[in-house]
Amino acid sequence: MNKEKLAAEEQVEAQDQEINNDKSAENQEASSEQVKGENGSSEELSVEQKLQAENQELKDKYLRLYSEFENYRRRTSKERLDLIKTASEGVLKDLIPAVDDFERAIKAEEKAEGNEKSLEGSLLIYNKLIKILESKGLVPMKDLIGNNFDADTQEAITQIPAPSEEMKGKVIDVVEKGYMLGDKVVRYAKVVIGS
């Protein structure tokens, strides 16, 4: 009987051990599921945060791209307007020497006697040419004599002794007219200044 009791006790102990093993396995499974659940929610938070960060990054990229496009559009629009304003600059620049020759011819005709009809025709054509050039934006620099020398719009070709103390550093004579196209100097005025 002792053997049977021992065998029965061993069997009960084995069953208890099995039950304990099953319980510990269930506990481990439950704790691992709990850990998985916690990880799952932390992974969900992490994914949500990643999506929000990515969304913010894409918004920033979009705003930068939009700003760059607006700047490009403004810049090209301004360049286009400047180009339109100065598109005819080359042609107008080439016409300036012809205007100078016209002015010299008119002065010569004024000195010669008996050329009133010729002078009148030359003045008519000259005035028409000047009006056309002015309508395109080309204007001569005016009222230079007696004003201070301006290196931005004038080119000093020589200096002569000033006739008075007030004329020192000022324009005494204009050898060649200067022309402006809008705010841009097309040809610098060649001037004589007093020293």
Side-chain angles (χ1 to χ4, degrees), residues 82-121:
D82 291 343
L83 183 64
I84 290 169
K85 285 181 183 176
T86 60
S88 57
E89 180 181 352
V91 173
L92 296 176
K93 207 174 201 178
D94 292 342
L95 284 175
I96 292 172
V99 171
D100 291 340
D101 293 341
F102 227 128
E103 289 173 350
R104 286 188 210 103
I106 290 172
K107 283 183 184 178
E109 287 178 2
E110 286 174 347
K111 290 180 182 176
E113 292 183 19
N115 288 336
E116 288 82 24
K117 297 281 182 187
S118 175
L119 177 62
E120 190 177 319

Side-chain angles (χ1 to χ4, degrees), residues 50-72:
K50 286 179 184 178
L51 289 175
Q52 285 177 347
E54 186 178 339
N55 187 18
Q56 187 63 37
E57 184 181 332
L58 290 173
K59 282 181 183 178
D60 291 344
K61 282 183 182 179
Y62 170 74
L63 286 175
R64 279 194 296 277
L65 184 63
Y66 182 75
S67 297
E68 287 175 14
F69 177 72
E70 282 298 311
N71 291 339
Y72 168 76

Side-chain angles (χ1 to χ4, degrees), residues 2-78:
N2 279 343
K3 281 187 180 178
E4 289 176 5
K5 270 187 173 180
L6 280 175
E9 283 178 8
E10 283 179 4
Q11 193 175 11
V12 170
E13 279 181 21
Q15 287 176 348
D16 283 342
Q17 186 122 18
E18 256 183 60
I19 290 171
N20 285 339
N21 285 342
D22 287 342
K23 283 184 182 177
S24 69
E26 287 176 8
N27 286 341
Q28 283 179 352
E29 285 178 19
S31 66
S32 69
E33 284 178 13
Q34 195 175 26
V35 168
K36 283 182 185 176
E38 289 173 2
N39 286 345
S41 65
S42 68
E43 285 177 12
E44 286 175 16
L45 286 176
S46 176
V47 168
E48 187 176 321
Q49 288 172 346
K50 286 179 184 178
L51 289 175
Q52 285 177 347
E54 186 178 339
N55 187 18
Q56 187 63 37
E57 184 181 332
L58 290 173
K59 282 181 183 178
D60 291 344
K61 282 183 182 179
Y62 170 74
L63 286 175
R64 279 194 296 277
L65 184 63
Y66 182 75
S67 297
E68 287 175 14
F69 177 72
E70 282 298 311
N71 291 339
Y72 168 76
R73 190 175 59 81
R74 284 189 202 114
R75 187 176 59 246
T76 55
S77 174
K78 184 178 181 282

